[in-house]
Amino acid sequence: MKTFQNQVIGYDGFVEWPPRSPDLTPLDFFLWGHMKGQVYATPPPTLKDLRQRITDACASVTRDMWHNVQREIQSRVQMCIAANGEHFEQYK
């Protein structure tokens, strides 16, 4: 979608910013990336190996990692509030 002066050009008009933005979803900004890095560091040779790697990756998430995620989500929520719920850039 593109905005040109006071007109919106796109399918179905204006689309609200999604309520489950990756900016505010810990599973998206942390867990899936961590899991992918652990599970697919090398291609798993078998389905059994893939399942074990997923189990091991879940077990590798420490309490300290979750504390870091908690601090990060608090920071992101503060940025969202400061932006009045609008789009914000986390890393500038």
Side-chain angles (χ1 to χ4, degrees), residues 36-51:
K36 185 177 177 181
Q38 297 287 314
V39 172
Y40 294 106
T42 59
T46 66
L47 183 57
K48 182 179 178 182
D49 188 53
L50 174 62
R51 288 181 178 142

Side-chain angles (χ1 to χ4, degrees), residues 10-75:
Y11 298 107
D12 300 323
F14 183 74
V15 177
E16 292 287 333
W17 188 253
R20 291 179 187 88
S21 165
D23 293 335
L24 300 175
T25 308
L27 293 178
D28 289 331
F29 77 74
F30 165 69
L31 187 62
W32 302 138
H34 172 76
M35 297 282 291
K36 185 177 177 181
Q38 297 287 314
V39 172
Y40 294 106
T42 59
T46 66
L47 183 57
K48 182 179 178 182
D49 188 53
L50 174 62
R51 288 181 178 142
Q52 186 60 52
R53 288 185 189 192
I54 292 169
T55 300
D56 293 345
C58 289
S60 75
V61 179
T62 66
R63 183 177 295 248
D64 286 339
M65 293 167 84
W66 285 120
H67 284 287
N68 290 339
V69 169
Q70 180 183 11
R71 282 193 297 275
E72 181 68 21
I73 194 70
Q74 288 171 342
S75 171

